[in-house]
C-alpha cells in the first residue's frame, strides 16, 4: 500500500526562478455572480496581492524554496504593495522591473458563496516585461527550475523557455491563460502543469474526469514533455510520465475561495520536485497544499506554509489508472 513519504526532513532549500505576472486582485464577494443584464448587491470588496506568477513564487517560498521573481510592476501603490508582499516572504525581488508608463496589473475577481470564482485580468505593467537573454542565463545558473505561465507577453515567455533549455535549467510551465504552444517548445518543457480546461484546449480531448485527463495528458506527453500533471480540482490530479498514468484523489473539503489553488499546488509540486521527490510524492504534496488554500479567502493570504501542509491529513491512496481502458 502506498504511504505518504516523510517529507519533513530534506536537503538545503532549492533555488527556483519564477517568471510571471503580478496583479493586485480586486475581490468582490457575491452570493452568486450576476447574469447578463442583472445587477446584484455584493457582500464585500478587498484588494489582495495576486497574479499567477507572484502566487506561484509565494507558494514556492512558503514551501521552503529560495525564490527569484522576474516580472514587471507599475510605478504606483499597487506595484509597491506587490513588491513588499513578495519581500515579506523572503523572495528576491531584485529582478522585478518598474514600468513608469503602465499601471500594475489588476485582476477583477468575483467569488461566489460556493467558493467558485470568475477572473478578468488587465495585464498593465505585466505587458511591459522585457528580458535580457544574457542576464536571464545568469539568473538561471544553478536554479532547479524556471517556473512560468502565460500572463506575461508570449514572446518573453518563449525567450525564457529557450534560455532555460540552453542553460540546462528544467522548465516547469503552467500554460494559463491557455494559448497555443509552438511545436519547437514542447520538448523544452520538463514538467507541464495544467487544469482540465487547459488540457482540453491544447488537445481537443475532454479532460474533466481522471481517465479522460490521463488520455489528454498522454497526448501532451507524446509531444515531448517529460512529465504532465493535469489538475482536476476536487477530483485531485493525474500524473503522467514515461511510467504511465496515476490518479491522486483530493480530500473532501469545504471551499471558501478557490483563487490561487492551482498556483499553490504548483508551488508545492515544484519545490518538492526540486528537493528530489518523486512526481507522485510531489503531486500529493501539491494536492494537500491546494486543499488548505481553498479553505481560506484571497490569493496570497490563502497559500499555506510547508509546516501546515505537513500537519494536514494524509491523502487517500493513489489509484493506478487501468491503462488498457484509457489508451485510445
Ligand atoms: O491564479 C489566480 C490568479 O489569477 C489571481 O491571483 C489573479 O491575479 C490571476 O492572475
Amino acid at each position: 500500500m502506498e504511504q505518504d513519504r516523510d517529507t519533513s526532513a530534506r536537503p538545503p532549500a532549492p533555488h527556483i526562478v519564477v517568471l510571471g505576472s503580478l496583479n493586485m486582485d480586486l475581490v468582490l464577494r457575491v452570493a452568486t455572480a450576476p447574469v447578463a443584464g442583472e445587477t446584484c448587491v455584493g457582500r464585500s470588496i478587498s484588494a489582495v496581492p495576486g497574479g499567477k506568477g507572484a502566487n506561484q513564487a509565494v507558494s514556492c517560498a512558503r514551501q521552503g524554496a529560495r525564490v527569484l521573481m522576474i516580472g514587471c510592476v507599475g510605478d504606483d501603490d499597487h506595484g509597491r504593495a506587490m513588491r513588499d508582499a513578495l519581500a515579506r516572504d523572503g523572495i528576491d525581488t531584485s529582478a522585478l522591473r518598474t514600468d513608469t508608463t503602465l499601471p500594475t496589473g489588476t485582476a477583477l475577481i468575483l467569488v461566489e458563496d460556493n467558493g467558485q470564482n470568475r477572473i478578468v485580468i488587465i495585464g498593465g505593467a505585466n505587458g511591459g516585461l522585457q528580458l535580457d537573454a544574457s542576464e536571464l542565463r545568469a539568473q538561471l545558473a544553478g536554479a532547479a527550475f524556471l517556473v512560468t505561465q502565460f500572463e506575461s507577453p508570449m514572446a518573453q515567455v518563449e525567450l525564457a523557455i529557450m534560455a532555460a533549455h540552453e542553460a540546462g535549467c528544467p522548465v516547469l510551465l503552467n500554460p494559463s491563460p491557455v494559448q497555443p504552444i509552438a511545436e519547437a517548445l514542447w520538448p523544452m518543457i520538463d514538467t507541464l502543469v495544467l487544469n482540465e480546461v487547459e488540457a482540453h484546449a491544447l488537445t481537443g480531448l475532454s479532460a474533466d474526469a481522471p481517465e479522460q485527463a490521463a488520455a489528454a495528458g498522454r497526448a501532451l506527453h507524446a509531444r515531448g514533455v517529460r512529465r504532465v500533471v493535469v489538475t482536476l480540482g476536487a477530483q485531485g490530479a493525474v500524473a503522467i510520465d514515461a511510467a504511465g498514468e496515476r490518479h491522486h484523489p483530493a480530500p473532501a473539503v469545504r471551499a471558501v475561495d478557490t483563487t490561487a489553488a492551482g498556483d499553490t499546488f504548483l508551488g508545492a509540486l515544484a519545490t518538492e520536485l526540486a528537493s528530489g521527490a518523486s512526481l507522485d510524492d510531489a503531486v500529493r504534496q501539491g494536492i494537500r497544499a491546494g486543499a488548505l488554500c481553498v479553505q481560506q479567502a484571497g490569493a496570497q493570504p490563502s497559500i499555506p506554509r510547508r509546516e501546515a501542509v505537513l500537519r494536514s491529513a494524509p491523502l487517500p491512496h493513489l489509484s493506478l489508472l487501468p491503462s488498457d481502458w484509457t489508451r485510445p
Side-chain angles (χ1 to χ4, degrees):
M1 223 189 229
E2 164 100 0
Q3 295 292 325
D4 273 340
R5 187 179 67 108
D6 175 8
T7 47
S8 53
R10 34 183 226 170
H15 177 39
I16 296 179
V17 175
V18 179
L19 184 151
S21 58
L22 303 96
N23 297 328
M24 186 56 80
D25 291 350
L26 302 181
V27 183
L28 300 175
R29 295 225 51 132
V30 290
T32 51
V35 297
E38 181 187 1
T39 300
C40 76
V41 177
R43 300 196 187 287
S44 63
I45 181 167
S46 50
V48 182
K52 292 189 195 307
N55 296 344
Q56 292 173 16
V58 167
S59 180
C60 290
R62 291 188 189 165
Q63 292 300 310
R66 221 161 26 88
V67 182
L68 172 75
M69 172 91 208
I70 302 175
C72 191
V73 293
D75 184 12
D76 49 29
D77 287 348
H78 283 173
R80 286 181 278 280
M82 298 297 306
R83 273 180 190 277
D84 292 349
L86 295 184
R88 277 197 298 278
D89 272 297
I91 294 167
D92 182 347
T93 57
S94 59
L96 273 189
R97 270 196 56 235
T98 300
D99 188 310
T100 54
T101 64
L102 292 166
T104 296
T106 307
L108 185 64
I109 306 186
L110 281 185
V111 182
E112 297 183 325
D113 281 352
N114 64 9
Q116 296 301 320
N117 61 31
R118 288 172 173 74
I119 304 181
V120 179
I121 295 161
I122 303 295
N126 293 303
L129 183 68
Q130 284 287 337
L131 297 171
D132 175 294
S134 65
E135 205 178 323
L136 185 59
R137 274 194 293 274
Q139 288 159 339
L140 291 170
F145 276 117
L146 167 72
V147 169
T148 191
Q149 330 72 31
F150 287 167
E151 280 185 359
S152 301
M154 200 60 179
Q156 303 300 306
V157 174
E158 290 180 352
L159 187 154
I161 291 174
M162 289 189 273
H165 184 67
E166 280 166 25
C169 174
V171 173
L172 194 161
L173 176 67
N174 173 219
S176 181
V178 71
Q179 295 187 49
I181 298 176
E183 208 173 309
L185 289 185
W186 287 104
M188 299 183 193
I189 303 167
D190 178 82
T191 308
L192 185 74
V193 179
L194 71 180
N195 67 22
E196 63 272 47
V197 176
E198 292 148 1
H200 175 248
L202 289 173
T203 62
L205 300 170
S206 160
D208 45 17
E211 299 76 24
Q212 285 87 353
R218 253 199 331 276
L220 295 167
H221 182 255
R223 293 182 194 174
V225 179
R226 189 160 80 96
R227 306 183 277 213
V228 180
V229 177
V230 183
T231 59
L232 297 168
Q235 296 183 86
V238 176
I240 301 103
D241 59 15
E245 308 90 34
R246 284 88 58 199
H247 173 225
H248 297 270
V253 294
R254 192 182 154 269
V256 169
D257 179 358
T258 54
T259 308
D263 302 328
T264 297
F265 173 94
L266 188 143
L269 174 104
T271 307
E272 286 303 307
L273 288 176
S275 305
S278 69
L279 180 60
D280 294 299
D281 283 336
V283 167
R284 293 156 74 81
Q285 187 85 350
I287 290 173
R288 290 168 79 180
L292 291 179
C293 169
V294 301
Q295 297 176 69
Q296 305 289 329
Q300 288 171 28
S302 68
I303 298 174
R305 297 192 177 280
R306 185 160 188 270
E307 301 70 38
V309 178
L310 294 176
R311 278 197 307 272
S312 67
L315 288 185
H317 300 297
L318 72 82
S319 50
L320 294 171
L321 289 164
S323 49
D324 293 347
W325 181 29
T326 57
R327 293 210 189 280

